[in-house]
Amino acid sequence: MISQPPARALDLGADGPERRVVAVGYLLTSFVSASVALLPVWSGVHDGPVLAVAALGVLSGLGLLLVPAWPMAGPRTAIVGAALCTSASVYAADGSPGVGVLVALYCATASHIPFLRSGRALVAATALPFALLPTALIASGHPGQVLGWLLVLPVTTVVPVLGVRSLLRLAARRARHDAGSDLLNRTGLLESCARRLQEDDGLDGRATVSVVHVDDLRDLRLALGPAAAEEVLAECARRAATLPGAVVARIDLDSLAVVRPALPGAAATTGAEAGRDLSEVLLAPVVLVGAGPGRGLQVRPDVSIGVACAPEHGRAIEDLLALADVAAVRAAADQQRVAVSGGEAVFDADALRLHAELPAAVEAGQLRVHYQRLVTAGTGRTVGVEALVRWQHPERGLLGPGAFIPLAERSQAIVGLTRWVLRTAVAQCAVWRAAGRDVGVSVNVSPVVLADPSLVEDVRRLIAEHGLERGVLTLEVTESALLADPAGAATVLATLREAGARISLDDFGTGYTSLTMLRQLEADELKVDRSFVAAAPQAPADAAIVRTLVDLAHRLSMEVVAEGVEDARTADLVRGLGADVLQGFHFARPVPAEEVFAALPAPSTALEGATDGEPVPAPRGVDEGERVRLAHAVLAATVRSQGLLRSVTALAASVCGTRFASFNVVTEEHVHLLASHGHERDVVPRDGTPCAWTAQQRDVLQFDPSTDPRTAGGAADLAGVRNYVGAPVTDAAGRVLGVLCAYDDRPLPLTGLQRTQVQALARLVADHLAGVDAAGQLDRVHGLLQTMAELDGTADEQRLVLGFGAAVHDLLAPDFSFVVRLACPGGRWELLGHRGDVDPALVGQIGFDADGRSAVARSVATGRPVWVPDAATSTVIAAELARRVGVGSVLTVPVVAADGVSHVLSCVWREPQQELSPVLRDAAVAAATRTARQLLRTAVPVPPVPA
């Protein structure tokens, strides 16, 4: 049985008193002894022997003080030596009064006696002076003095021994027991159990070591006072001690340790069984009986229990306690609140060594950044990369982040590492964008880095140094980074967004983010954790979770990234569940920067096979036969859809700012231009036409046909096309039905927003061809186009903007709408005009601060439209503002001029709207883009483009 050692074996140290104390004792007793021989008051003393003994004491004392290597005698040797030397001095005193002084020096013997381990040795050592003193007196010829000095001797021997031993016992108890609860403390537990665990008493040294965290003691201490918390802990310890063979100790303010050795004749107890037994005895409520505000209350202890087993996990009690403590932390997240250690430390020696080497590795340039591509769910176009750090260790080779990031995140080492990754990733992204790659970059930010006050300034400086646009840099923050200080984290995230970064909630769904917390955050992106994504094809519950998270994010105006897409089946599923962007090994593995786009076609670079003056023949896929049959079926179906298609192509031209547009179908040798806008051409050769390449690549393409070797010398080049934008129209199975094209005879840029709008129009055509009736929506789009065409020649800025607001109001049919403009730079946005059923008393109150919580402020900050389906649950709009204005749903559409947002249109529905048609929303955004261009032409006259 493992228990506390018996009291007879008091262990106060193997070496007796401390070295300096013994040395001082030797010197003092030696000086006193020498005084007996040197002072003339005592005659008859034989000086030589007494001085010799004193000299020996002085020598020993000085040696102990001045020479570290001087040997120090153990308690037994010191006791015998001191008793013999004192008795020899008594003999040399020859019955003089100096004998009394020498008898007092027997206390030197007594000072060592309490440190003896054995009770027998203690009694023998105490009795030794009582035998030696009479012998010395009789030998010196003074037997008559024996009785008198024996009566004095207990004062210098027995009394000091008892006094010192009592003090040492008290000190030992205090060192081994907790002062508040009188339970064994960690030291007492170690001393009581260590030897028993390491011995084999026929039980194979088997035992369980449990650590109990009483999780609610801190709250109880604040609510009812320290006495109530101590009472609950003491009762938990008393109950644990009722388990057979249990030794209980208090190892922390709110933690107990319970050691249970295997009992003779009893079956071995597993770690899980030991944890359950302990949980059962602690489960019942504790009735508080002590004086205080909680007297009579029943408190149910909330405990987490971790268990380690000997000898499976080790024999050293300290190691077992550490393993059980780690398991108890893990148990807090377990439903049963019990966890058994796996027998391994959280971090091994190798991990700690790497952690120590990490700062130098950053300085030495041993870290590497690999990048994993993120692709759009609809077209598979690469829209960004995630930066993932690696360590090129000089001895261990390339190390993944799991080898060094976990420990780095527990210290300030992660701050320097993240700064390096940020600098490297932002610089590389700038290089890609300068080469024509329209991609962003994502960098992970840990809780420690998020709390670093220099983070915001670092991000702002990096964006400015490399000339990145707003939203190109994305900072990924895990849920755990938000838990410690949600309000502070929300403030930091809002400041980072103002600095130009996007915010992504990484690994969402695995932490403890509450919906209340989610409302407070300003985030642009939500990344669904890979555990849900990977399991979705096999588990309907996980698929339902993914769908719910996607819907939640979209309603909070966030983009959704599904990470962990490892195969085509998973990609198809999460695409169908509504994810916007996909990431995983199915699309790309993390690779060095030079390999990220190696397998993708370079933007506007020469292709093999190009010849001077002749276009490159468009490739034909392995499914070319099926594609051609489908193309002919589409040609037959579009005969009845010319009206709708013409409206779509007109809107596509408006969105892209081009003079021409068409819906094209690619057959064997020709491209059929249907519903052409701005020209009457209907058929051109397949080779040399950009649409043939768009149909094969299945992604939005934008280039100059006259300089791109794929189309140089082809029909588009010969027709004078200098800017081409094409979006594939695909059905639910991913088959290309046709291409929606917009083109012009002058070079024009294509923004990310324009690309998104063209894709939305392509989806509208696909829906129509699949049998979806979009005629009603297109009638409203027709009205918008007519109104915007009438406004094209307007030079009056206010009339133009208000006309745009009225046209969009008629398009979307909200309850009311209003347009605001910037009153002063960086300040308040004031009402320009309104339309619809709006309370007159509210008109004078409409105004927004640029740094406030509103959809207008979000659009001003991002330059993008904001759709809020339900204002009551939105993080975008302040609750008080939604209540005052009477907002159920709102769409804000910014008019983005050359120097930023100049006006914002807000369309408000009093009741929450479940959905808003993407086509109508994109048409409204296209109208805003057209208004912005008209404002620019009004401010700065542009010379006409030659025909």
Side-chain angles (χ1 to χ4, degrees), residues 808-847:
V808 174
H809 180 94
D810 295 338
L811 173 77
L812 301 178
D815 292 313
F816 62 92
S817 63
F818 53 86
V819 178
V820 294
R821 63 181 173 185
L822 181 62
C824 58
R828 191 165 177 80
W829 291 71
E830 296 181 347
L831 181 68
L832 178 64
H834 63 87
R835 191 175 179 86
D837 182 18
V838 58
D839 185 354
L842 182 63
V843 172
Q845 304 178 27
I846 295 178

mmCIF file of all heavy atoms in Angstrom, residues 808-847:
data_model
loop_
_atom_site.group_PDB
_atom_site.id
_atom_site.type_symbol
_atom_site.label_atom_id
_atom_site.label_comp_id
_atom_site.label_asym_id
_atom_site.label_seq_id
_atom_site.Cartn_x
_atom_site.Cartn_y
_atom_site.Cartn_z
ATOM 1 N N VAL A 808 -32.299 52.187 -59.811
ATOM 2 C CA VAL A 808 -32.069 50.988 -59.014
ATOM 3 C C VAL A 808 -33.245 50.747 -58.072
ATOM 4 O O VAL A 808 -33.606 49.595 -57.801
ATOM 5 C CB VAL A 808 -30.744 51.116 -58.239
ATOM 6 C CG1 VAL A 808 -30.558 49.945 -57.282
ATOM 7 C CG2 VAL A 808 -29.571 51.186 -59.206
ATOM 8 N N HIS A 809 -33.853 51.810 -57.572
ATOM 9 C CA HIS A 809 -35.042 51.652 -56.719
ATOM 10 C C HIS A 809 -36.145 50.935 -57.494
ATOM 11 O O HIS A 809 -36.799 50.014 -56.977
ATOM 12 C CB HIS A 809 -35.518 53.025 -56.239
ATOM 13 C CG HIS A 809 -36.725 52.962 -55.355
ATOM 14 N ND1 HIS A 809 -36.648 52.931 -53.986
ATOM 15 C CD2 HIS A 809 -38.056 52.903 -55.665
ATOM 16 C CE1 HIS A 809 -37.873 52.862 -53.469
ATOM 17 N NE2 HIS A 809 -38.739 52.853 -54.477
ATOM 18 N N ASP A 810 -36.367 51.343 -58.737
ATOM 19 C CA ASP A 810 -37.385 50.676 -59.562
ATOM 20 C C ASP A 810 -36.994 49.238 -59.877
ATOM 21 O O ASP A 810 -37.851 48.364 -60.000
ATOM 22 C CB ASP A 810 -37.589 51.471 -60.863
ATOM 23 C CG ASP A 810 -38.175 52.853 -60.614
ATOM 24 O OD1 ASP A 810 -38.800 53.044 -59.531
ATOM 25 O OD2 ASP A 810 -38.003 53.742 -61.472
ATOM 26 N N LEU A 811 -35.699 48.978 -59.997
ATOM 27 C CA LEU A 811 -35.225 47.631 -60.305
ATOM 28 C C LEU A 811 -35.469 46.679 -59.132
ATOM 29 O O LEU A 811 -35.968 45.567 -59.313
ATOM 30 C CB LEU A 811 -33.730 47.680 -60.636
ATOM 31 C CG LEU A 811 -33.036 46.321 -60.814
ATOM 32 C CD1 LEU A 811 -33.388 45.726 -62.171
ATOM 33 C CD2 LEU A 811 -31.518 46.473 -60.675
ATOM 34 N N LEU A 812 -35.112 47.101 -57.932
ATOM 35 C CA LEU A 812 -35.140 46.205 -56.771
ATOM 36 C C LEU A 812 -36.449 46.283 -55.991
ATOM 37 O O LEU A 812 -36.741 45.380 -55.197
ATOM 38 C CB LEU A 812 -33.969 46.534 -55.834
ATOM 39 C CG LEU A 812 -32.572 46.413 -56.437
ATOM 40 C CD1 LEU A 812 -31.509 46.818 -55.423
ATOM 41 C CD2 LEU A 812 -32.310 44.997 -56.923
ATOM 42 N N ALA A 813 -37.190 47.376 -56.139
ATOM 43 C CA ALA A 813 -38.478 47.563 -55.459
ATOM 44 C C ALA A 813 -38.372 47.430 -53.948
ATOM 45 O O ALA A 813 -39.108 46.663 -53.324
ATOM 46 C CB ALA A 813 -39.515 46.581 -56.006
ATOM 47 N N PRO A 814 -37.466 48.166 -53.288
ATOM 48 C CA PRO A 814 -37.426 48.155 -51.822
ATOM 49 C C PRO A 814 -38.551 49.025 -51.266
ATOM 50 O O PRO A 814 -39.248 49.721 -52.017
ATOM 51 C CB PRO A 814 -36.051 48.740 -51.517
ATOM 52 C CG PRO A 814 -35.816 49.696 -52.643
ATOM 53 C CD PRO A 814 -36.447 49.068 -53.869
ATOM 54 N N ASP A 815 -38.715 49.040 -49.930
ATOM 55 C CA ASP A 815 -39.706 49.919 -49.321
ATOM 56 C C ASP A 815 -39.286 51.374 -49.453
ATOM 57 O O ASP A 815 -40.109 52.246 -49.691
ATOM 58 C CB ASP A 815 -39.896 49.555 -47.846
ATOM 59 C CG ASP A 815 -40.562 48.194 -47.691
ATOM 60 O OD1 ASP A 815 -41.565 47.956 -48.377
ATOM 61 O OD2 ASP A 815 -40.066 47.376 -46.904
ATOM 62 N N PHE A 816 -38.011 51.659 -49.271
ATOM 63 C CA PHE A 816 -37.492 52.993 -49.521
ATOM 64 C C PHE A 816 -35.993 52.894 -49.781
ATOM 65 O O PHE A 816 -35.358 51.882 -49.459
ATOM 66 C CB PHE A 816 -37.793 53.970 -48.377
ATOM 67 C CG PHE A 816 -37.177 53.617 -47.055
ATOM 68 C CD1 PHE A 816 -35.923 54.101 -46.680
ATOM 69 C CD2 PHE A 816 -37.855 52.805 -46.162
ATOM 70 C CE1 PHE A 816 -35.359 53.785 -45.460
ATOM 71 C CE2 PHE A 816 -37.295 52.481 -44.934
ATOM 72 C CZ PHE A 816 -36.048 52.967 -44.581
ATOM 73 N N SER A 817 -35.462 53.952 -50.361
ATOM 74 C CA SER A 817 -34.024 53.993 -50.646
ATOM 75 C C SER A 817 -33.547 55.424 -50.484
ATOM 76 O O SER A 817 -34.343 56.365 -50.513
ATOM 77 C CB SER A 817 -33.725 53.495 -52.071
ATOM 78 O OG SER A 817 -34.330 54.346 -53.030
ATOM 79 N N PHE A 818 -32.254 55.560 -50.284
ATOM 80 C CA PHE A 818 -31.677 56.892 -50.160
ATOM 81 C C PHE A 818 -30.227 56.857 -50.634
ATOM 82 O O PHE A 818 -29.579 55.815 -50.622
ATOM 83 C CB PHE A 818 -31.768 57.430 -48.731
ATOM 84 C CG PHE A 818 -31.201 56.521 -47.676
ATOM 85 C CD1 PHE A 818 -29.847 56.542 -47.359
ATOM 86 C CD2 PHE A 818 -32.024 55.646 -46.998
ATOM 87 C CE1 PHE A 818 -29.326 55.714 -46.395
ATOM 88 C CE2 PHE A 818 -31.506 54.801 -46.022
ATOM 89 C CZ PHE A 818 -30.159 54.846 -45.719
ATOM 90 N N VAL A 819 -29.760 58.005 -51.077
ATOM 91 C CA VAL A 819 -28.383 58.172 -51.543
ATOM 92 C C VAL A 819 -27.687 59.135 -50.585
ATOM 93 O O VAL A 819 -28.240 60.187 -50.247
ATOM 94 C CB VAL A 819 -28.336 58.728 -52.978
ATOM 95 C CG1 VAL A 819 -26.883 58.938 -53.416
ATOM 96 C CG2 VAL A 819 -29.036 57.788 -53.934
ATOM 97 N N VAL A 820 -26.483 58.749 -50.136
ATOM 98 C CA VAL A 820 -25.688 59.623 -49.278
ATOM 99 C C VAL A 820 -24.393 59.961 -49.987
ATOM 100 O O VAL A 820 -23.919 59.218 -50.844
ATOM 101 C CB VAL A 820 -25.383 58.957 -47.908
ATOM 102 C CG1 VAL A 820 -26.648 58.766 -47.095
ATOM 103 C CG2 VAL A 820 -24.652 57.632 -48.086
ATOM 104 N N ARG A 821 -23.839 61.110 -49.631
ATOM 105 C CA ARG A 821 -22.569 61.538 -50.194
ATOM 106 C C ARG A 821 -21.655 61.994 -49.069
ATOM 107 O O ARG A 821 -22.112 62.309 -47.967
ATOM 108 C CB ARG A 821 -22.779 62.679 -51.190
ATOM 109 C CG ARG A 821 -23.360 63.940 -50.568
ATOM 110 C CD ARG A 821 -23.559 65.020 -51.595
ATOM 111 N NE ARG A 821 -24.272 66.173 -51.038
ATOM 112 C CZ ARG A 821 -24.654 67.218 -51.762
ATOM 113 N NH1 ARG A 821 -24.393 67.240 -53.061
ATOM 114 N NH2 ARG A 821 -25.291 68.215 -51.190
ATOM 115 N N LEU A 822 -20.371 62.046 -49.355
ATOM 116 C CA LEU A 822 -19.379 62.406 -48.359
ATOM 117 C C LEU A 822 -19.420 63.906 -48.119
ATOM 118 O O LEU A 822 -19.210 64.707 -49.029
ATOM 119 C CB LEU A 822 -17.981 61.980 -48.820
ATOM 120 C CG LEU A 822 -16.818 62.270 -47.872
ATOM 121 C CD1 LEU A 822 -17.014 61.519 -46.553
ATOM 122 C CD2 LEU A 822 -15.505 61.863 -48.521
ATOM 123 N N ALA A 823 -19.695 64.294 -46.852
ATOM 124 C CA ALA A 823 -19.763 65.713 -46.507
ATOM 125 C C ALA A 823 -18.369 66.307 -46.328
ATOM 126 O O ALA A 823 -18.111 67.438 -46.720
ATOM 127 C CB ALA A 823 -20.591 65.896 -45.233
ATOM 128 N N CYS A 824 -17.466 65.530 -45.696
ATOM 129 C CA CYS A 824 -16.083 65.974 -45.535
ATOM 130 C C CYS A 824 -15.199 64.747 -45.537
ATOM 131 O O CYS A 824 -15.609 63.692 -45.065
ATOM 132 C CB CYS A 824 -15.901 66.780 -44.244
ATOM 133 S SG CYS A 824 -16.361 65.880 -42.747
ATOM 134 N N PRO A 825 -13.966 64.826 -46.071
ATOM 135 C CA PRO A 825 -13.096 63.649 -46.188
ATOM 136 C C PRO A 825 -12.894 62.955 -44.843
ATOM 137 O O PRO A 825 -12.555 63.586 -43.850
ATOM 138 C CB PRO A 825 -11.786 64.237 -46.727
ATOM 139 C CG PRO A 825 -12.190 65.506 -47.396
ATOM 140 C CD PRO A 825 -13.355 66.044 -46.617
ATOM 141 N N GLY A 826 -13.097 61.623 -44.841
ATOM 142 C CA GLY A 826 -12.896 60.824 -43.651
ATOM 143 C C GLY A 826 -13.933 61.045 -42.569
ATOM 144 O O GLY A 826 -13.789 60.544 -41.456
ATOM 145 N N GLY A 827 -15.003 61.819 -42.887
ATOM 146 C CA GLY A 827 -15.977 62.166 -41.857
ATOM 147 C C GLY A 827 -17.343 61.587 -42.102
ATOM 148 O O GLY A 827 -17.484 60.415 -42.402
ATOM 149 N N ARG A 828 -18.363 62.460 -42.031
ATOM 150 C CA ARG A 828 -19.744 62.023 -42.033
ATOM 151 C C ARG A 828 -20.316 61.993 -43.445
ATOM 152 O O ARG A 828 -19.991 62.823 -44.287
ATOM 153 C CB ARG A 828 -20.577 62.951 -41.157
ATOM 154 C CG ARG A 828 -21.980 62.445 -40.882
ATOM 155 C CD ARG A 828 -22.608 63.208 -39.729
ATOM 156 N NE ARG A 828 -23.984 62.790 -39.501
ATOM 157 C CZ ARG A 828 -24.328 61.698 -38.838
ATOM 158 N NH1 ARG A 828 -23.392 60.898 -38.359
ATOM 159 N NH2 ARG A 828 -25.598 61.374 -38.663
ATOM 160 N N TRP A 829 -21.197 61.022 -43.694
ATOM 161 C CA TRP A 829 -21.909 60.886 -44.970
ATOM 162 C C TRP A 829 -23.335 61.378 -44.766
ATOM 163 O O TRP A 829 -24.051 60.882 -43.900
ATOM 164 C CB TRP A 829 -21.885 59.435 -45.440
ATOM 165 C CG TRP A 829 -20.511 58.998 -45.847
ATOM 166 C CD1 TRP A 829 -19.454 58.780 -45.041
ATOM 167 C CD2 TRP A 829 -20.055 58.783 -47.175
ATOM 168 N NE1 TRP A 829 -18.342 58.428 -45.758
ATOM 169 C CE2 TRP A 829 -18.688 58.419 -47.093
ATOM 170 C CE3 TRP A 829 -20.645 58.858 -48.436
ATOM 171 C CZ2 TRP A 829 -17.923 58.127 -48.214
ATOM 172 C CZ3 TRP A 829 -19.885 58.565 -49.558
ATOM 173 C CH2 TRP A 829 -18.544 58.211 -49.441
ATOM 174 N N GLU A 830 -23.745 62.331 -45.612
ATOM 175 C CA GLU A 830 -25.044 62.983 -45.429
ATOM 176 C C GLU A 830 -25.976 62.669 -46.594
ATOM 177 O O GLU A 830 -25.547 62.304 -47.691
ATOM 178 C CB GLU A 830 -24.842 64.492 -45.288
ATOM 179 C CG GLU A 830 -24.045 64.874 -44.046
ATOM 180 C CD GLU A 830 -23.879 66.374 -43.910
ATOM 181 O OE1 GLU A 830 -24.164 67.087 -44.906
ATOM 182 O OE2 GLU A 830 -23.462 66.825 -42.831
ATOM 183 N N LEU A 831 -27.264 62.845 -46.334
ATOM 184 C CA LEU A 831 -28.313 62.503 -47.295
ATOM 185 C C LEU A 831 -28.270 63.432 -48.497
ATOM 186 O O LEU A 831 -28.209 64.661 -48.353
ATOM 187 C CB LEU A 831 -29.679 62.585 -46.600
ATOM 188 C CG LEU A 831 -30.889 62.243 -47.462
ATOM 189 C CD1 LEU A 831 -30.878 60.772 -47.825
ATOM 190 C CD2 LEU A 831 -32.174 62.605 -46.735
ATOM 191 N N LEU A 832 -28.326 62.839 -49.700
ATOM 192 C CA LEU A 832 -28.434 63.600 -50.939
ATOM 193 C C LEU A 832 -29.863 63.562 -51.467
ATOM 194 O O LEU A 832 -30.388 64.554 -51.976
ATOM 195 C CB LEU A 832 -27.473 63.037 -51.988
ATOM 196 C CG LEU A 832 -27.522 63.708 -53.371
ATOM 197 C CD1 LEU A 832 -27.076 65.167 -53.264
ATOM 198 C CD2 LEU A 832 -26.613 62.961 -54.348
ATOM 199 N N GLY A 833 -30.526 62.408 -51.348
ATOM 200 C CA GLY A 833 -31.903 62.274 -51.816
ATOM 201 C C GLY A 833 -32.471 60.939 -51.396
ATOM 202 O O GLY A 833 -31.740 60.026 -51.013
ATOM 203 N N HIS A 834 -33.792 60.823 -51.451
ATOM 204 C CA HIS A 834 -34.436 59.573 -51.037
ATOM 205 C C HIS A 834 -35.626 59.299 -51.936
ATOM 206 O O HIS A 834 -36.110 60.170 -52.670
ATOM 207 C CB HIS A 834 -34.867 59.656 -49.571
ATOM 208 C CG HIS A 834 -35.908 60.724 -49.299
ATOM 209 N ND1 HIS A 834 -37.250 60.498 -49.430
ATOM 210 C CD2 HIS A 834 -35.755 62.019 -48.927
ATOM 211 C CE1 HIS A 834 -37.907 61.607 -49.145
ATOM 212 N NE2 HIS A 834 -37.030 62.546 -48.835
ATOM 213 N N ARG A 835 -36.141 58.089 -51.842
ATOM 214 C CA ARG A 835 -37.247 57.653 -52.685
ATOM 215 C C ARG A 835 -38.010 56.553 -51.953
ATOM 216 O O ARG A 835 -37.421 55.762 -51.195
ATOM 217 C CB ARG A 835 -36.715 57.124 -54.020
ATOM 218 C CG ARG A 835 -37.777 56.882 -55.086
ATOM 219 C CD ARG A 835 -37.098 56.476 -56.386
ATOM 220 N NE ARG A 835 -38.043 56.199 -57.443
ATOM 221 C CZ ARG A 835 -38.556 57.121 -58.257
ATOM 222 N NH1 ARG A 835 -38.193 58.389 -58.123
ATOM 223 N NH2 ARG A 835 -39.422 56.796 -59.221
ATOM 224 N N GLY A 836 -39.323 56.505 -52.152
ATOM 225 C CA GLY A 836 -40.121 55.453 -51.537
ATOM 226 C C GLY A 836 -40.825 55.922 -50.284
ATOM 227 O O GLY A 836 -40.880 57.117 -49.957
ATOM 228 N N ASP A 837 -41.370 54.978 -49.552
ATOM 229 C CA ASP A 837 -42.188 55.241 -48.376
ATOM 230 C C ASP A 837 -41.304 55.388 -47.146
ATOM 231 O O ASP A 837 -41.102 54.447 -46.372
ATOM 232 C CB ASP A 837 -43.192 54.092 -48.181
ATOM 233 C CG ASP A 837 -44.112 54.333 -46.997
ATOM 234 O OD1 ASP A 837 -44.202 55.495 -46.554
ATOM 235 O OD2 ASP A 837 -44.728 53.368 -46.507
ATOM 236 N N VAL A 838 -40.773 56.580 -46.956
ATOM 237 C CA VAL A 838 -39.882 56.826 -45.834
ATOM 238 C C VAL A 838 -40.520 57.865 -44.921
ATOM 239 O O VAL A 838 -41.146 58.820 -45.377
ATOM 240 C CB VAL A 838 -38.495 57.305 -46.324
ATOM 241 C CG1 VAL A 838 -38.617 58.557 -47.150
ATOM 242 C CG2 VAL A 838 -37.558 57.514 -45.156
ATOM 243 N N ASP A 839 -40.406 57.663 -43.625
ATOM 244 C CA ASP A 839 -40.972 58.566 -42.628
ATOM 245 C C ASP A 839 -40.299 59.928 -42.746
ATOM 246 O O ASP A 839 -39.075 60.031 -42.651
ATOM 247 C CB ASP A 839 -40.739 57.975 -41.234
ATOM 248 C CG ASP A 839 -41.410 58.790 -40.147
ATOM 249 O OD1 ASP A 839 -41.949 59.863 -40.451
ATOM 250 O OD2 ASP A 839 -41.400 58.340 -38.977
ATOM 251 N N PRO A 840 -41.087 61.012 -42.945
ATOM 252 C CA PRO A 840 -40.461 62.349 -43.064
ATOM 253 C C PRO A 840 -39.621 62.725 -41.852
ATOM 254 O O PRO A 840 -38.617 63.425 -41.981
ATOM 255 C CB PRO A 840 -41.671 63.284 -43.219
ATOM 256 C CG PRO A 840 -42.764 62.406 -43.758
ATOM 257 C CD PRO A 840 -42.539 61.053 -43.147
ATOM 258 N N ALA A 841 -40.014 62.246 -40.659
ATOM 259 C CA ALA A 841 -39.244 62.575 -39.461
ATOM 260 C C ALA A 841 -37.864 61.928 -39.488
ATOM 261 O O ALA A 841 -36.944 62.378 -38.814
ATOM 262 C CB ALA A 841 -40.013 62.134 -38.212
ATOM 263 N N LEU A 842 -37.746 60.853 -40.280
ATOM 264 C CA LEU A 842 -36.483 60.137 -40.349
ATOM 265 C C LEU A 842 -35.506 60.783 -41.316
ATOM 266 O O LEU A 842 -34.290 60.621 -41.185
ATOM 267 C CB LEU A 842 -36.742 58.678 -40.758
ATOM 268 C CG LEU A 842 -35.543 57.747 -40.846
ATOM 269 C CD1 LEU A 842 -34.890 57.581 -39.483
ATOM 270 C CD2 LEU A 842 -35.981 56.388 -41.394
ATOM 271 N N VAL A 843 -36.045 61.541 -42.289
ATOM 272 C CA VAL A 843 -35.208 62.086 -43.356
ATOM 273 C C VAL A 843 -34.101 62.958 -42.795
ATOM 274 O O VAL A 843 -32.929 62.859 -43.188
ATOM 275 C CB VAL A 843 -36.077 62.882 -44.358
ATOM 276 C CG1 VAL A 843 -35.183 63.620 -45.361
ATOM 277 C CG2 VAL A 843 -37.031 61.949 -45.075
ATOM 278 N N GLY A 844 -34.436 63.805 -41.835
ATOM 279 C CA GLY A 844 -33.430 64.697 -41.276
ATOM 280 C C GLY A 844 -32.412 63.999 -40.397
ATOM 281 O O GLY A 844 -31.392 64.589 -40.042
ATOM 282 N N GLN A 845 -32.673 62.735 -40.033
ATOM 283 C CA GLN A 845 -31.756 62.013 -39.155
ATOM 284 C C GLN A 845 -30.802 61.100 -39.911
ATOM 285 O O GLN A 845 -29.919 60.486 -39.297
ATOM 286 C CB GLN A 845 -32.553 61.161 -38.157
ATOM 287 C CG GLN A 845 -33.545 61.955 -37.331
ATOM 288 C CD GLN A 845 -34.338 61.057 -36.399
ATOM 289 O OE1 GLN A 845 -33.871 59.998 -35.996
ATOM 290 N NE2 GLN A 845 -35.552 61.466 -36.080
ATOM 291 N N ILE A 846 -31.005 60.969 -41.232
ATOM 292 C CA ILE A 846 -30.171 60.043 -41.992
ATOM 293 C C ILE A 846 -28.769 60.630 -42.166
ATOM 294 O O ILE A 846 -28.594 61.697 -42.731
ATOM 295 C CB ILE A 846 -30.800 59.734 -43.364
ATOM 296 C CG1 ILE A 846 -32.120 58.983 -43.181
ATOM 297 C CG2 ILE A 846 -29.838 58.919 -44.216
ATOM 298 C CD1 ILE A 846 -32.834 58.670 -44.464
ATOM 299 N N GLY A 847 -27.800 59.916 -41.643
ATOM 300 C CA GLY A 847 -26.399 60.304 -41.736
ATOM 301 C C GLY A 847 -25.550 59.190 -41.155
ATOM 302 O O GLY A 847 -25.997 58.471 -40.256
#
